[in-house]
Amino acid sequence: MDTEILRKIGLTDNEIKIYLSLLKSGSRTAYQIAKDTGIYRVHVYDKLEQLMNKGLVNYVYKGAKKHFQATHPTKIQQFLEDKKKQIE
């Protein structure tokens, strides 16, 4: 996936790293995401929250742990449409 497109729609570099990591790996814990991306876990939680607010990430519980997963890339189009409606 072209990261420049993700940057143009307003994702930060760390959000892009996390989103792409989740697309590649599927379901991961915040610890695993931090390990994969090299982003501090505290920052991973902040960025995951922002990505969830944008509808690009969700989570499921597996046992007592949250496992985060990227939504399908077509959800990006929905995010853009929602942004457009807010502007109008």
Side-chain angles (χ1 to χ4, degrees), residues 29-46:
T29 64
Y31 172 79
Q32 292 167 322
I33 295 167
K35 193 173 175 181
D36 291 345
T37 61
I39 302 168
Y40 290 114
R41 192 165 40 126
V42 172
H43 298 295
V44 167
Y45 279 112
D46 290 339

Side-chain angles (χ1 to χ4, degrees), residues 3-86:
T3 59
E4 191 58 34
I5 292 169
L6 295 174
R7 198 169 284 108
K8 285 181 182 178
I9 65 168
L11 297 184
T12 66
D13 288 338
N14 284 345
E15 288 173 333
I16 292 169
K17 284 181 189 177
I18 291 168
Y19 183 70
L20 293 178
S21 173
L22 287 172
L23 278 178
K24 290 177 189 173
S25 62
S27 177
R28 310 288 276 170
T29 64
Y31 172 79
Q32 292 167 322
I33 295 167
K35 193 173 175 181
D36 291 345
T37 61
I39 302 168
Y40 290 114
R41 192 165 40 126
V42 172
H43 298 295
V44 167
Y45 279 112
D46 290 339
K47 296 305 174 186
L48 284 168
E49 184 71 31
Q50 292 169 3
L51 287 166
M52 285 189 284
N53 290 338
K54 295 172 182 173
L56 301 177
V57 169
N58 55 36
Y59 66 89
V60 294
Y61 279 101
K62 291 185 181 179
K65 293 185 178 185
K66 276 186 184 178
H67 286 253
F68 298 90
Q69 53 199 20
T71 57
H72 194 274
T74 57
K75 194 73 168 157
I76 293 171
Q77 183 177 359
Q78 181 64 43
F79 168 68
L80 290 174
E81 289 172 9
D82 291 345
K83 250 181 130 169
K84 182 180 175 184
K85 286 177 186 175
Q86 287 176 350

